[in-house]
Amino acid sequence: MAAPVLRCVRKLLKLVDFTPVPRRYRYKKKWATTEPQFTASRLALQNFDMTYSVQFGDLWPSIRVSLLSEQKYGALVNNFAAWDSVSAKLEQLSAKDFISEAISHQKLEPESGLSPTPTLDCSPNLRCFTFSRGDVSRFPPARLGSLGLMDYYLMDAASLLPVLALGLQHGDIVLDLCAAPGGKTLALLQTGCCRNLAANDLSTSRTGRLHKVLHSYVPQDIREGNQVRVTSWDGRKWGELEGDTYDRVLVDVPCTTDRHSLHEEENNIFQRSRKKERQMLPMLQVQLLAAGLLATKPGGHVVYSTCSLSHLQNEYVVQGAIELLANQYNIKVQVEDLSHFRKLFMDTFCFFPSCQVGELVIPNLMANFGPMYFCKLHRLP
C-alpha cells in the first residue's frame, strides 16, 4: 500500500521546481499596510453600532436596517423649466408634492377644530415630489426639457428641509457656505428670493460638480449675471472676509455622511488614512458654523445641517458655536423652535422625538429618507 503512495509523491516532487527565486524577484505581501482587514464601510458600521446603539437605544436596530436598505429620493421640480407640465407628469406617477400637501393641511386645520399650527415660515416656491410611505417606486432619470434645462433634480427629500427652514424672503442676500455638490444651492435659487447668492466650497473638484449642476438647471443669464457667485475659499475665514453681510446663511457642513459611509468605499471618511480627519470633524464644524454666524447681519438667520445621526456633530456643535460667539465676540445667538416642522412633515419623514436642539430626520423603512439634522439660529441684533 505504501509503495504506490511513495511513487506518487516522487512523481509530484519531480514536477515541483525548487530552484531558488533570485532576491530581486521575491515579493512578500505586507498584509497590514496593503490589504486592510476591514473595508471602510464595515468600519463605519462597527463605529455606528458602538455609538448609535447607546444614543438611540431600542430605535437603533430599525434605523440600522433602514440605513443599509435602498434610499428613497424626491424629485425637486426645476422652476426654470416648464414646471407645470413637469409637475403633471410626476403626478401621473402617483407622486405628490410633499411641501404643498403640508401647507394645504396647515390651512385646513382651523376648519377642523384642531389647535392651530404656527405659521410655516419656510422658503417659498419649492416643489418636491415623493412617493407615499411604503412605496419604494423610483423616479425615472431627469431629462432635458423644451427650454434646454433638466426637468427635475433627484435628491434625498429630507435635504430640502434645511432650505425650507431658512425661510427666505424676496430680496435676501444669501450665502451657501459649503455648497457642493449643489442640490441645496439649486433649491435656494428655485425660491426666486435670492437677490445675490454666494455658493462656496473649499474643494475645487466639488465646485466643478456645482458648476455642472448650475449649467444643467439654471438659465445662462442667471448663472453668468451678478445673481450667483461660486467660490472656493476656506469657509472658516468667511467671518473675516465678509462679516455682517448676509440676511440668510446655510451651513451644510462636511460630516460622516452616515448613509454614504455604509454603501460607498470611494471617498469614505472611515478609511484608515482619514482617521484624524474624522476625529477633527466636530472642531471643523464649530468653526464653519461660527464663521457663518459672523457673516450674517445682526438680526439675520443661519441654518446648520448635517446628514449624520451623531449628536457630537449636531447638537454639541450648535452649542459649541453659540458659546464661542458669546465668549469671543460678545454676540448672542438664539435657537429657533422648529417643532412645527415635525408636525407639518410627519406624513413624509420620520423625526427623532427626543432631539434637544434642532430637528433630526431618522431613516425608517416606511419613509427611508435621511438622516438629516437641521437647526435654525437667529443672530440677535
Side-chain angles (χ1 to χ4, degrees):
M1 181 70 181
V5 173
L6 288 172
R7 282 197 296 270
C8 289
V9 170
R10 290 191 187 102
K11 288 181 180 179
L12 288 172
L13 289 174
K14 289 178 180 179
L15 295 173
V16 178
D17 184 5
F18 288 100
T19 305
V21 178
R23 182 178 295 274
R24 64 181 179 273
Y25 296 132
R26 292 179 190 174
Y27 172 70
K28 180 180 179 181
K29 285 189 176 182
K30 298 179 181 179
W31 295 96
T33 56
T34 61
E35 297 187 20
Q37 188 174 0
F38 298 118
T39 62
S41 57
R42 187 172 176 184
L43 288 173
L45 186 58
Q46 287 181 341
N47 180 283
F48 296 160
D49 281 336
M50 286 189 295
T51 56
Y52 293 158
S53 59
V54 176
Q55 183 178 335
F56 294 101
D58 293 340
L59 281 176
W60 171 237
S62 64
I63 297 173
R64 185 185 195 270
V65 170
S66 304
L67 277 174
L68 291 169
S69 303
E70 185 176 353
Q71 181 181 15
K72 287 186 71 172
Y73 284 89
L76 173 65
V77 176
N78 187 6
N79 290 334
F80 299 117
W83 62 266
D84 48 352
S85 62
V86 174
S87 298
K89 290 178 183 177
L90 293 172
E91 287 173 353
Q92 290 175 359
L93 299 174
S94 299
K96 294 183 178 180
D97 178 2
F98 81 87
I99 302 169
S100 65
E101 289 272 311
I103 294 173
S104 61
H105 287 168
Q106 181 196 33
K107 291 178 180 177
L108 290 173
E109 278 188 355
E111 299 177 8
S112 63
L114 299 174
S115 56
T117 304
T119 303
L120 180 59
D121 178 25
C122 71
S123 302
N125 303 325
L126 292 173
R127 302 172 179 88
C128 184
F129 284 78
T130 59
F131 294 106
S132 58
R133 279 177 172 256
D135 188 342
V136 294
S137 301
R138 298 181 182 180
F139 290 101
R143 296 180 178 180
L144 277 177
S146 57
L147 301 179
L149 298 170
M150 302 297 280
D151 284 342
Y152 53 81
Y153 182 84
L154 293 178
M155 64 190 303
D156 186 331
S159 297
L160 271 186
L161 294 176
V163 178
L164 287 166
L166 200 54
L168 292 186
Q169 298 177 5
H170 186 72
D172 277 345
I173 301 174
V174 184
L175 167 63
D176 189 352
L177 191 59
C178 309
K184 294 183 182 67
T185 304
L186 178 62
L188 290 168
L189 287 171
Q190 297 295 316
T191 66
C193 292
C194 302
R195 175 154 51 106
N196 295 108
L197 172 63
N200 178 73
D201 201 282
L202 178 61
S203 169
T204 52
S205 62
R206 285 170 60 85
T207 51
R209 293 172 62 189
L210 173 58
H211 276 293
K212 289 181 181 178
V213 169
L214 295 178
H215 186 271
S216 299
Y217 288 87
V218 181
Q220 183 177 2
D221 59 328
I222 295 178
R223 293 196 317 266
E224 298 179 358
N226 295 324
Q227 189 174 345
V228 184
R229 172 171 55 115
V230 178
T231 57
S232 294
W233 299 346
D234 187 344
R236 295 172 295 181
K237 300 178 180 178
W238 210 280
E240 305 167 17
L241 297 169
E242 294 183 347
D244 304 342
T245 300
Y246 296 92
D247 300 297
R248 314 272 168 165
V249 176
L250 178 62
V251 186
D252 184 50
V253 294
C255 65
T256 48
T257 54
D258 291 359
R259 190 183 288 272
H260 171 88
S261 295
L262 291 177
H263 291 272
E264 302 290 340
E265 294 301 321
E266 185 179 354
N267 198 32
N268 193 316
I269 198 165
F270 283 88
Q271 292 171 355
R272 294 177 185 275
S273 59
R274 301 182 68 184
K275 182 178 180 180
K276 187 173 182 181
E277 177 187 353
R278 188 172 72 250
Q279 292 172 337
M280 297 296 290
L281 270 178
M283 180 181 294
L284 170 65
Q285 291 160 345
V286 169
Q287 292 171 330
L288 287 168
L289 179 53
L293 287 163
L294 291 172
T296 308
K297 295 176 182 177
H301 291 85
V302 173
V303 168
Y304 172 80
S305 62
T306 76
C307 48
S308 170
L309 293 166
S310 171
H311 54 223
L312 296 177
Q313 300 176 61
N314 297 337
E315 299 100 312
Y316 289 5
V317 168
V318 171
Q319 293 166 352
I322 291 174
E323 292 176 8
L324 177 64
L325 263 71
N327 296 333
Q328 293 193 13
Y329 300 94
N330 198 28
I331 294 175
K332 293 183 179 180
V333 177
Q334 176 180 297
V335 175
E336 299 277 284
D337 180 19
L338 292 175
S339 58
H340 57 287
F341 264 70
R342 189 188 313 172
K343 183 177 181 181
L344 283 161
F345 298 117
M346 63 185 296
D347 290 339
T348 305
F349 306 107
C350 181
F351 289 88
F352 181 54
S354 303
C355 195
Q356 300 297 317
V357 179
E359 294 294 334
L360 175 64
V361 174
I362 57 176
N364 178 285
L365 282 177
M366 297 298 289
N368 203 5
F369 299 108
M372 179 56 59
Y373 173 82
F374 59 105
C375 179
K376 188 173 185 177
L377 303 166
H378 181 206
R379 177 176 168 179
L380 300 178

